[in-house]
Amino acid sequence: IGMRLPGPGECGLVSPEIVGLGLIGFSTNCLMVVFNTIGIEKKDTDKIPGGWGLAHLALGAMMILVGVSAYMANPLVADVVSGWVGIALVFYGFFWVFFGASLVRGADLRPVGQISIAYAIVDLWFIRESLALKLYSLTLLLVILTIVFLVLYAAVHGRPSLFKANAVLLIILALLGFYIGFSFVAPGGYTPF
């Protein structure tokens, strides 16, 4: 059952295509995390190359810019997708910036794990709001993301074998994010379910 998204003229300054680009950036970042953690469970988790952090910083900054633009278009209208998704993109963009900065500096990733618990808790609010807006595809994405945050905490706190499980969840999350993001970008702008 598809839901029609607001068209380019109905969404203020930002069209659903811009929101879709933010989701595509989010999905790209998920894949970047998979690529820089593959095999890390067999190595020292503190030795992830710092260069990977630059990609997270760039994509996180892009998500923040797109999210602020989307939110500023319709900040207080609850039934318009762009304002709500804008808040989410800014929120998750800051996580990617923090994660990227930690990688660039070669810092211990345990603080990233602790921040991920806070993100998992706030995800519950986003899940509730996505259900209220009847955006079930985004609800599914957010449920998986909440699990990813919880698994990340355990993985950086002495259970590096969980990086494999997290990688699988991130691949699923990225594919779902691309699917939803491209549905926003597609002509007509329909969410798949």
Side-chain angles (χ1 to χ4, degrees):
I1 300 171
M3 177 183 143
R4 187 185 177 287
L5 295 174
E10 304 169 56
C11 204
L13 301 173
V14 178
S15 66
E17 289 84 1
I18 298 296
V19 174
L21 290 176
L23 286 171
I24 291 167
F26 167 80
S27 299
T28 304
N29 235 333
C30 289
L31 288 180
M32 294 296 293
V33 173
V34 171
F35 292 144
N36 69 15
T37 58
I38 287 177
I40 201 70
E41 69 279 354
K42 299 174 187 168
K43 303 175 186 173
D44 186 1
T45 57
D46 296 334
K47 302 297 182 192
I48 297 175
W52 282 106
L54 296 175
H56 295 296
L57 282 170
L59 288 167
M62 183 271 305
M63 286 175 64
I64 291 169
L65 290 174
V66 168
V68 167
S69 298
Y71 178 76
M72 293 307 291
N74 294 298
L76 300 174
V77 182
D79 61 343
V80 177
V81 175
S82 67
W84 180 83
V85 174
I87 294 170
L89 289 174
V90 170
F91 180 70
Y92 297 117
F94 278 119
F95 180 82
W96 295 123
V97 167
F98 178 67
F99 185 59
S102 297
L103 290 174
V104 167
R105 294 186 58 223
D108 186 7
L109 292 180
R110 285 180 290 188
V112 175
Q114 293 161 344
I115 296 275
S116 71
I117 292 295
Y119 271 75
I121 292 168
V122 174
D123 267 350
L124 300 176
W125 177 79
F126 282 115
I127 290 168
R128 189 192 76 161
E129 291 300 314
S130 67
L131 286 170
L133 290 171
K134 297 181 181 171
L135 297 171
Y136 302 118
S137 55
L138 288 174
T139 302
L140 178 60
L141 184 138
L142 290 167
V143 167
I144 296 170
L145 184 60
T146 303
I147 296 168
V148 165
F149 282 134
L150 295 173
V151 171
L152 177 65
Y153 174 82
V156 297
H157 282 88
R159 304 271 321 264
S161 63
L162 290 176
F163 275 119
K164 278 186 181 177
N166 220 15
V168 171
L169 289 170
L170 283 168
I171 289 170
I172 293 168
L173 192 62
L175 293 174
L176 183 60
F178 281 127
Y179 185 61
I180 296 167
F182 283 114
S183 72
F184 279 127
V185 175
Y190 287 90
T191 53
F193 54 91

